[in-house]
Amino acid sequence: MTTPSPSAPVRIAIIEDEPAVRRYFMQIMGMAEGYDVIAIAPDLATGRRLITLAPDLFLMDIGLPDGNGYDLVPEIKAGCAAKVLIISSFGDRETVVKALSAGADGYLLKDSTPQQILDGIGITLDGGAPVSPAAAVYLLDLLRAPTPSSQAEPAGDADARLTQRETELLRAFAEGKSYKEAARALSISPHTVGTHVKAIYRKLEVNSRSDAVRQAFRS
């Protein structure tokens, strides 16, 4: 996990309409060194103007007064290199899938503990894709969905399917585990994790752990 440097703080923008929640996020940011909240927006229209500030990370709600937070994610990705971590009270399958498919780098629920939120921020900044356990259930259901065996499939399709180990790794990333944590949980070396990850990227045609999680949702 990336540890912010006091000399180069991580620049964070918050898009959240509830004043009490904004204060709560600010308190959480104050629990760790190296985070600088550079701007706060209560709605999509104001949040859109923050893209020009090019923060390192957007913490964003879904239910905003003038629309859904995930509608802004593609604009953020097109306008700057910021990561987007959704923190919402909505944990239904449709909302989670739409947010990740739009390009969000992670999805946490507002009932997450302060430490879980800080961990989620660190994982997101480190290229991971943290997903609250309740939200990750949808991904796991999709991964467990049986594939039709009654129809003949082209030879290439069989090779494109993830193996059990690759599925376990993708599940670990969906749960927010790092390479080292996933390796320890599966009793394999980090080098072996890297080999499996390359295979996952090749099969899903993606280039990062976040993309792999989102691709699994889209599939």
Side-chain angles (χ1 to χ4, degrees):
M1 182 186 303
T2 298
T3 301
S5 169
S7 60
V10 174
R11 301 167 69 249
I12 295 178
I14 298 174
I15 303 179
E16 165 63 53
D17 62 318
E18 293 290 339
V21 177
R22 292 200 297 266
R23 289 194 297 270
Y24 176 60
F25 287 159
M26 293 289 290
Q27 291 173 354
I28 292 176
M29 295 301 99
M31 293 173 57
E33 295 182 357
Y35 293 118
D36 181 15
V37 178
I38 62 170
I40 297 176
D43 50 41
L44 285 180
T46 308
R48 186 170 286 111
R49 294 198 290 270
L50 302 185
I51 298 176
T52 58
L53 299 178
D56 299 303
L57 177 77
F58 277 92
L59 288 183
M60 187 160 62
D61 191 14
I62 289 291
L64 297 168
D66 53 349
N68 293 312
Y70 51 68
D71 290 333
L72 186 59
V73 176
E75 294 183 48
I76 292 174
K77 294 297 183 177
C80 66
K83 302 285 188 179
V84 179
L85 178 58
I86 299 293
I87 303 184
S88 175
S89 58
F90 296 104
D92 61 283
R93 175 171 176 156
E94 180 181 2
T95 302
V96 172
V97 170
K98 283 185 176 180
L100 293 177
S101 295
D105 296 285
Y107 197 107
L108 300 180
L109 298 181
K110 285 183 177 177
D111 61 1
S112 300
T113 67
Q115 189 58 54
Q116 287 172 333
I117 291 176
L118 285 175
D119 288 345
I121 291 172
I123 291 168
T124 302
L125 292 170
D126 200 33
V131 181
S132 286
V137 169
Y138 306 129
L139 175 60
L140 303 185
D141 286 345
L142 289 174
L143 293 177
R144 284 194 294 261
T147 55
S149 57
S150 58
Q151 299 179 355
E153 57 183 4
D157 287 353
D159 180 65
R161 286 207 307 266
L162 300 186
T163 65
Q164 179 177 349
R165 180 63 83 192
E166 291 163 358
T167 298
E168 290 170 346
L169 276 174
L170 190 55
R171 181 184 297 114
F173 293 147
E175 294 171 348
K177 287 185 172 63
S178 66
Y179 272 47
K180 290 183 179 179
E181 291 168 339
R184 187 161 50 247
L186 299 177
S187 299
I188 57 179
S189 71
H191 175 75
T192 302
V193 170
T195 300
H196 285 307
V197 168
K198 288 180 181 178
I200 292 173
Y201 293 169
R202 173 176 57 80
K203 292 177 180 181
L204 297 182
E205 299 181 354
V206 294
N207 297 307
S208 72
R209 283 175 288 174
S210 301
D211 285 342
V213 172
R214 288 196 295 270
Q215 179 65 27
F217 270 103
R218 286 194 293 265
S219 298

